Amino acid sequence: MQKWLASIRVTLKPVVNDPPGLAIHDALRNLGYAGVDEVRSGKYLQVYLGADSQDAARSAVTSMCQCLLSNPVIEDFDFEVREIKQFPEEDDR
């Protein structure tokens, strides 16, 4: 079984209000970053998994995102899956 790293980005859909993004936007403007027009917040996850192929890993990650990692009513997700040689050591977590 091969080892994979999925880098997952979950963001609010464009029509969903984003209070944290608005607060960050205001704070950046107050700090002098006048060129910032909009901020949208989200979350980034890394999932290490074993799968027989990249297609199988992508299928598993899609299912994870649809079932748990995102709320399909208000959030979108995208991800990249790449093969890795080994999982991180338990001591490094």
Side-chain angles (χ1 to χ4, degrees):
M1 183 172 290
Q2 296 167 283
K3 296 172 176 65
W4 305 91
L5 168 60
S7 300
I8 304 165
R9 291 169 299 280
V10 180
T11 56
L12 290 169
K13 291 184 176 187
V15 296
V16 176
N17 192 22
D18 184 4
L22 293 172
I24 295 166
H25 172 264
D26 291 346
L28 289 171
R29 298 285 299 226
N30 289 336
L31 289 171
Y33 298 101
V36 176
D37 291 327
E38 183 178 2
V39 176
R40 298 292 290 176
S41 65
K43 55 189 170 186
Y44 172 76
L45 303 108
Q46 290 183 316
V47 175
Y48 296 87
L49 68 150
D52 291 331
S53 67
Q54 186 174 34
D55 286 343
R58 291 184 62 77
S59 178
V61 172
T62 298
S63 179
M64 291 175 204
C65 290
Q66 292 171 337
C67 294
L68 177 68
L69 301 179
S70 74
N71 178 341
V73 175
I74 62 169
E75 294 175 319
D76 291 321
F77 66 87
D78 64 72
F79 61 88
E80 298 171 0
V81 173
R82 66 179 177 90
E83 189 173 8
I84 57 175
K85 294 188 186 293
Q86 64 183 23
F87 293 131
E89 297 296 323
E90 291 293 326
D91 296 337
D92 291 343
R93 290 186 188 185

